[in-house]
Amino acid sequence: MATQGLRAEQYLSPETLAQLAPFELRAKMVADGVMNGMHQSPLQGMAVEFAAHRQYTAGDSVRHLDWKVFGRSDKLYVKEYRQETNLDVMILVDGSASMSFGTLGVKQGWGGTDATRRRGAWTKFDHATASAAALAFLCLSQRDRVGVAVGADGLRGAVRKSAARDQWRSIVRCLSSEPVEARFSPAACINQLLAQTSHRTLFVILSDFLGDPEGLRSALARLRHRGHDAMLLAMLDHRELTLDLDVEAPFVGLEGEDALDVDTRMIRKAYLEELQRHLQGIDRQARAFGYDVQVFDTHESVGPVLAALLSRREGMVAGGRR
Amino acid sequence: MTFISPWLAISGAAAMALPILIHLFLRRRQKPIEWAAMELLRRAVQQSQRARRVERWILLVLRCLVLLLIGLAIARPATVTAISMSQPVALAVVLDDSVASRTAASATAPGQTAFEAARTACIESIRALPGGSLVHVFTTSGTIEHTSEAVQPDRAVAMLGALEPTYEPSRARQAVDRADDALRRMAMPGRIILASSFSRGAIDTEAQVLPATKATLEIRDVGSDDTGTAAIASMVQRTLGPQSSGSITVDVVVTRPSHDQARRSVPVTVTDVQTDRAAVTDAVFIDGSMRAVATVTLAVDPAVTEHAWMATIPADRQPADDLRTAMISTVSADPVLILDRERLDVDEGSSAQWIERALEPIAGMGLPHRRMDPSDVRPGSLKGSTSIIICRPELLDAAGWAECTSTCESGALVVIVPPTDETFVEWQVPCAALLGAGVTIRRDHVDHDPPRRLEPQQPTSPITQLIASELTELVAPIEVNRSVVIEGPSTVLSPVLVMDDGAPMMVLSTRGRGVIAMLATAPVPSWSTLATKPIFVPLVQETIRQGEVLLDAGGSVTIGLGRLPEGTTELRPIRGSTDPGTTLIVDPSGMIVGDDAKPGIMQRVAAQGASPGSLRSASLVALNVDPAACDPQRNDPARLTAWLNQTLTTPTGNVTATSTTRSSTTASVWLLLAAAVVVLAETLLGRMFSVPEPKTT
């Protein structure tokens, strides 16, 4: 079993933890958790943090009347409170065959997923696993509930949301044991996840998003319709981002696509333009629903990119509250 | 349209295949690459690859075109203009009359020398000329000039008939250039015929023998039985010793750069180029040796005062992959005359006995010698002797000393050994007089206790030049118990070996045309250990050989590229050189220092490392140096044939009198310009199609 002897250092380095330490994963929307936490709850008046005064209307409970104000002004005002609760986070990792692409050598002691074993390289799936592990650790440290799911043409393996102490280990174990194959269908996976989700949840989708953009748009629309938040983390290999190859050779797809004779020197410019156009399309779709998108280069470490994303998100949440 | 060098045109066409093969090869060897973003790739391919592929083929075609155009330009396209057989032409005949043309022609012309065969070929060509034609006659030696005006064919035939082969080196290129210059002044179509055996030394293979503009160059290859020689060394000896008995020993010294070569024996043919008498012998390399000597004895006519020899080594039997040098030297074949009286009462052996053993260490091998009683020396009794060793000077009377002196002055080597017996005869006075003015020999010998040793660093001397590298080791074990004291001015006496106190153990001087060498100690054990040490045999033999070389009776010539920095001799060409202003530096063993070997007859003008005036100036030295002959690679028959095919318009002897070929330099220039334009277009196109460096998204 690949998960035997699993160590945290295989996917989460102390450097990454140190880089993420100053940040918090904040929900942009109102969370409806059941535990006390740091996220805004839809329920009001029950918690400790004062929010505002409101004029008493018929039907309001007299328990919340502010008698001090009544004594000073002879008017009835009701005190309102803001409740803060915990956040539900569901991490969906693309487990399709295209995620097993990688051109970076595996560092000693790192890796351990199915893709690493098959390719002998640091793949996009490995990078997604590392990013998911870091996010999960961050959420658990905030006492948020985190779950993970590995999806391809449908949900393949999942860990239910929990804030339990050994949840992080369960998440990493799940990611490192699932095979990386088939094609990714975001709509199918999101549909299955929504069927299991009752509370408002932050969905973090880690994929290369190289599939049909229409399927992604459909999945995002469903999430938005159900009032969930989402973050899209696009995992791409450095070579995919730059096409730094000078060859004329047949290119074979990892998901069963037909071979294609390509001279990279001839098409590099067009490829880079197509890639730019594709990523801009994903970014445009996500922003249309108010979701964040971040591109990850698998040859770079996870920490700085995640820190930039969280910082940007914190800024947006704080701005929204003001 | 034709090509001056059609092979280059074919090569250019063949070179076109190179970019295509590279293209196909690179395309074939690529393995499939797995890729994730196939959809992006597919869209990029659809967008650009089709156009790019067309552009790439255009680039490929342009590159092929560049190679083809350059090949065609180098091949020198020419236009052929037909002229009628009856149209008069200007013919320039270039006849090879160099020393190499004295060799026998091929089997197709038995009994003829290469010169005669070439002359016959020239005459045939002249007689086939249409009426009204004019002829220029040139020779490759350049010694006979007929460039001033063209002559009628009959007159040219007469001129050719009067020519004789020379001892000069071949300068075919200059002759063809002169012929071309002459034909340029003529209004009628020109043609050049170069007739030669094309044996080694007959033509300078480095030269591009091509007329520049107008004339057709035709080759009349009369063939040669010289199947390819690795080296030719030739020498001219102007004066023989007056006492020569009519035979002479020619030594050919063959050296190779290392001693680990497999071949042990090299056949050497020595030919007297005037009488065509040849002798073949083997130069045998002893294990670990880099030098071998082939010795032949040739009969010569004493009445003839100029002789020339040529030594050849077959190309397939060269001693090493890179033959370093071959050197010819001559030694008189007269036996060495030892002046001593037969004695049986000497236990340790006499000086003469030790010297005889050194002259002939193995019976039948070495230098022949004979004895003569010193008291029998009378006027005229030493005639015919080139080398005389006086072992008992005390037995020579005044008449004997006078005969020795006159023989030496007329050109002989005299070696003197001090007497070992106590004597009251004052032999020292006439002996010192023979050695030169101002020389004295003390009456009493000196006993050394402890024995004297020899100086480790011995002076440079022509006698010891061939054993110079081992001289320190060879002189180390010698102990001298007794010696005579020889004193004299340094301008007269030249030290050969010196003892550790600076006193000479062997000296050299000259007198008239002769050379005198004297030992200060006798080669007997009671005087010194010289005779029992390994140096003795080479010292005695080299004294005879090199001493004779120093005489007018001997001479040496070397070709080669060896370099020895010390003791060099400067030679000045006096005849047969193209550049009389230049000089040639030759090291003590006769090897040419430097690569710039000018052919010609050379005379020594200065010597370094030897006492000027102590030795007579060297004999005239003839250097028929073909630098190419030193390099067996260039003398390979296949290479020579390939060179002829590449550089000559008509590679065989068939005369094509019906046409003239005008080499079109203009066409070559235009082709090169076209190639340059194509290169420019290729560069611009390549820059236009170049893909910018990728940027990280």
Side-chain angles (χ1 to χ4, degrees), chain A residues 19-284:
Chain A
Q19 285 159 348
L20 297 181
F23 300 102
E24 296 165 341
L25 179 58
R26 305 303 294 257
K28 279 186 186 173
M29 75 226 166
V30 175
D32 55 353
V34 294
M35 308 282 287
N36 282 338
M38 56 189 294
H39 307 284
Q40 189 179 358
S41 168
L43 303 176
Q44 291 185 348
M46 301 298 289
V48 289
E49 189 178 348
F50 173 76
H53 279 107
R54 173 170 63 80
Q55 275 200 328
Y56 176 79
T57 56
D60 284 341
S61 171
V62 296
R63 292 170 61 194
H64 297 299
L65 281 174
D66 191 338
W67 295 109
K68 289 181 183 175
V69 173
F70 177 73
R72 285 199 294 270
S73 63
D74 205 18
K75 290 180 181 174
L76 288 173
Y77 280 92
V78 178
K79 288 204 286 189
E80 286 191 335
Y81 296 90
R82 176 183 297 153
Q83 182 175 2
E84 294 202 327
T85 185
N86 63 333
L87 176 68
D88 283 0
V89 178
M90 175 53 77
I91 301 172
L92 172 61
V93 179
D94 176 1
S96 66
S98 67
M99 290 292 281
S100 65
F101 181 79
T103 59
L104 183 67
V106 185
K107 277 199 291 186
Q108 183 72 30
W110 280 66
T113 66
D114 178 54
T116 316
R117 287 191 296 276
R118 288 198 343 218
R119 298 282 167 193
W122 182 255
T123 63
K124 291 189 282 186
F125 189 79
D126 289 305
H127 209 70
T129 301
S131 305
L135 281 173
F137 189 87
L138 183 65
C139 294
L140 290 171
S141 65
Q142 295 173 186
R143 290 179 296 179
D144 294 330
R145 298 200 308 160
V146 187
V148 74
V150 178
D153 44 1
L155 279 189
R156 193 174 291 149
V159 176
R160 296 176 67 82
K161 286 176 283 190
S162 168
R165 188 177 293 174
D166 63 342
Q167 180 68 357
W168 186 85
R169 191 162 292 275
S170 302
I171 288 170
V172 173
R173 189 176 295 127
C174 171
L175 290 170
S176 59
S177 63
E178 287 299 326
V180 183
E181 58 191 13
R183 292 190 180 202
F184 182 50
S185 170
C189 295
I190 292 295
N191 277 346
Q192 284 181 265
L193 282 175
L194 287 177
Q196 302 166 8
T197 306
S198 53
H199 295 84
R200 287 181 183 172
T201 302
L202 170 60
F203 281 85
V204 182
I205 306 173
L206 297 97
S207 170
D208 52 13
F209 299 110
L210 292 174
D212 179 19
E214 187 55 32
L216 178 66
R217 196 202 64 78
S218 165
L220 295 182
R222 284 172 185 276
L223 287 175
R224 187 66 195 166
H225 178 71
R226 298 284 288 270
H228 297 292
D229 194 2
M231 291 164 54
L232 275 61
L233 310 187
M235 303 290 155
L236 289 169
D237 189 84
H238 183 75
R239 185 155 291 169
E240 286 179 322
L241 288 168
T242 58
L243 195 64
D244 55 346
L245 271 174
D246 283 343
V247 292
E248 183 180 6
F251 278 62
V252 181
L254 292 168
E255 295 181 352
E257 297 97 331
D258 293 336
L260 196 62
D261 285 338
V262 174
D263 185 344
T264 54
R265 287 159 291 204
M266 290 187 175
I267 63 142
R268 181 178 295 133
K269 190 177 176 187
Y271 172 85
L272 295 176
E273 288 171 358
E274 279 297 325
L275 177 69
Q276 200 68 29
R277 201 173 298 130
H278 178 74
L279 292 176
Q280 283 172 354
I282 291 171
D283 191 59
R284 204 177 305 117

Side-chain angles (χ1 to χ4, degrees), chain B residues 435-447:
Chain B
L435 280 168
V439 178
T440 57
I441 300 173
R442 288 191 199 169
R443 183 180 174 80
D444 298 322
H445 57 249
V446 181
D447 289 322

Side-chain angles (χ1 to χ4, degrees), chain B residues 77-92:
Chain B
T79 54
V80 177
T81 308
I83 58 174
S84 76
M85 283 289 288
S86 58
Q87 185 176 353
V89 296
L91 177 68

Side-chain angles (χ1 to χ4, degrees), chain B residues 17-90:
Chain B
L18 205 62
I20 299 169
L21 287 176
I22 292 171
H23 173 80
L24 294 176
F25 178 71
L26 291 177
R27 189 172 179 173
R28 197 162 54 97
R29 61 188 298 212
Q30 292 295 343
K31 293 178 181 173
I33 296 173
E34 291 188 324
W35 194 254
M38 285 299 285
E39 184 55 33
L40 298 179
L41 213 57
R42 192 181 306 280
R43 274 185 261 161
V45 166
Q46 285 173 353
Q47 185 181 327
S48 65
Q49 186 152 332
R50 191 171 302 158
R52 294 283 182 193
R53 190 161 285 167
V54 172
E55 290 156 2
R56 232 183 121 179
W57 279 112
I58 294 173
L59 278 178
L60 183 65
V61 169
L62 286 177
R63 283 166 187 165
C64 293
L65 201 59
V66 168
L67 290 173
L68 179 66
L69 287 174
I70 290 174
L72 292 180
I74 295 173
R76 300 184 66 192
T79 54
V80 177
T81 308
I83 58 174
S84 76
M85 283 289 288
S86 58
Q87 185 176 353
V89 296

